[in-house]
Amino acid sequence: MIIRTENLTRIYRTDEVETTSLHQVNLNIEQGEFVAIMGPSGCGKSTLLNLIGLLDTPDAGEYYFNGKAAAHLPEREKAILRKEQIGFIFQSFNLIDDLTVFENIELPLLYLGMSSSQRKSRVEEVMQRLEVSHRANHYPQQLSGGQQQRVAVCRAIATEPSLILADEPTGNLDSKNGEEVMRILSDLNASGSTVVMVTHSSEHAAFAGRVIHLFDGKIVSENIKKMSYVQA
């Protein structure tokens, strides 16, 4: 099991208001699953994804990543886990405008300390896989939205992470490019990657093997459509 949460709770506080974004969420995700998380705006979807991705810390409860209690690790250890084992795909692409496609994809590999030849080989491999090799020397602003998201996917999988987290990955794309990104995520899952995706689209959630519905910070239902994972 790659993800397990126990009574995971996140509360946001200001001087006057206390808002419970997640309330005692219990969730298990097996290695190799494709899970979609759905629910209305403000229900806690992105908060849950941020906690799973070690970008935030819960106020109560525990989170186990590959069997290790990870929620309250020192930030340095969280950063190591993120860069070595988790790939992020965002709605807004989050590419660096001053870097070429090649350099954007290469960036996480630099953080891992890979040699220049290893980085070049790995970047070329994922660019070929996602069919953006011909854009290697272009900058993000020279690409369409669909191409930018392909590059973002390349960057996310360049380190061969055990977990891919996608937060509304098709939110800024037209229907054609959105469908293409979903096919890419489906192919990655078929190759063994664990994918957890937040989406508002029931059509795109249909690509997942399991759909989790959140409401007011709680899991209210789960739909298992197929056993999409391979036991590790």
Side-chain angles (χ1 to χ4, degrees):
M1 187 176 298
I2 188 169
I3 290 169
R4 179 164 65 92
T5 73
E6 293 181 352
N7 298 319
L8 207 62
T9 298
R10 184 69 172 98
I11 300 170
Y12 294 102
R13 298 179 177 88
T14 66
D15 291 340
E16 298 180 353
V17 179
E18 181 177 286
T19 304
T20 300
S21 182
L22 287 179
H23 181 66
Q24 296 184 348
V25 169
N26 294 292
L27 173 66
N28 296 326
I29 297 177
E30 298 284 352
Q31 177 69 45
E33 272 198 275
F34 188 161
V35 176
I37 301 173
M38 299 191 72
S41 296
C43 71
K45 301 186 302 297
S46 292
T47 297
L48 179 56
L49 206 69
N50 287 339
L51 291 172
I52 291 173
L54 300 172
L55 296 171
D56 197 3
T57 302
D59 293 283
E62 188 52 86
Y63 166 45
Y64 297 89
F65 182 75
N66 277 329
K68 180 178 182 178
H72 301 284
L73 288 172
E75 182 54 41
R76 182 176 179 277
E77 292 186 42
K78 285 185 179 181
I80 292 171
L81 281 175
R82 284 196 301 267
K83 72 181 182 181
E84 292 182 349
Q85 299 193 50
I86 304 175
F88 295 91
I89 303 169
F90 301 97
Q91 177 178 348
S92 56
F93 317 135
N94 283 14
L95 300 176
I96 298 175
D97 289 340
D98 294 335
L99 299 182
T100 64
V101 164
F102 185 99
E103 292 166 341
N104 266 283
I105 300 169
E106 181 187 34
L107 193 59
L109 305 178
L110 286 167
Y111 295 146
L112 290 181
M114 291 177 64
S115 69
S116 177
S117 60
Q118 288 176 313
R119 295 196 307 271
K120 184 175 185 294
S121 175
R122 182 60 184 158
V123 172
E124 289 177 347
E125 178 186 337
V126 296
M127 284 196 303
Q128 183 175 0
R129 183 175 182 181
L130 274 296
E131 300 179 353
V132 293
S133 298
H134 62 298
R135 297 291 191 179
N137 295 318
H138 288 72
Y139 291 89
Q141 60 268 28
Q142 297 174 304
L143 308 179
S144 68
Q147 290 169 338
Q148 288 188 60
Q149 194 61 297
R150 280 175 175 266
V151 174
V153 173
C154 285
R155 181 184 58 191
I157 67 173
T159 60
E160 299 182 302
S162 56
L163 174 64
I164 297 172
L165 300 179
D167 193 356
E168 296 283 1
T170 63
N172 283 336
L173 302 176
D174 59 33
S175 59
K176 180 181 178 180
N177 282 305
E179 288 291 315
E180 182 59 30
V181 167
M182 291 312 305
R183 282 194 290 270
I184 290 169
L185 290 177
S186 186
D187 288 344
L188 290 170
N189 175 245
S191 299
S193 296
T194 304
V195 180
V196 181
M197 174 185 70
V198 162
T199 182
H200 279 100
S201 169
S202 56
E203 291 182 0
H204 293 165
F207 282 83
R210 177 157 57 121
V211 181
I212 294 171
H213 295 270
L214 289 182
F215 188 78
D216 285 348
K218 301 177 183 178
I219 294 177
V220 293
S221 67
E222 294 189 38
N223 300 325
I224 301 175
K225 296 178 297 176
K226 61 190 176 193
M227 299 303 286
S228 63
Y229 65 88
V230 178
Q231 293 283 2

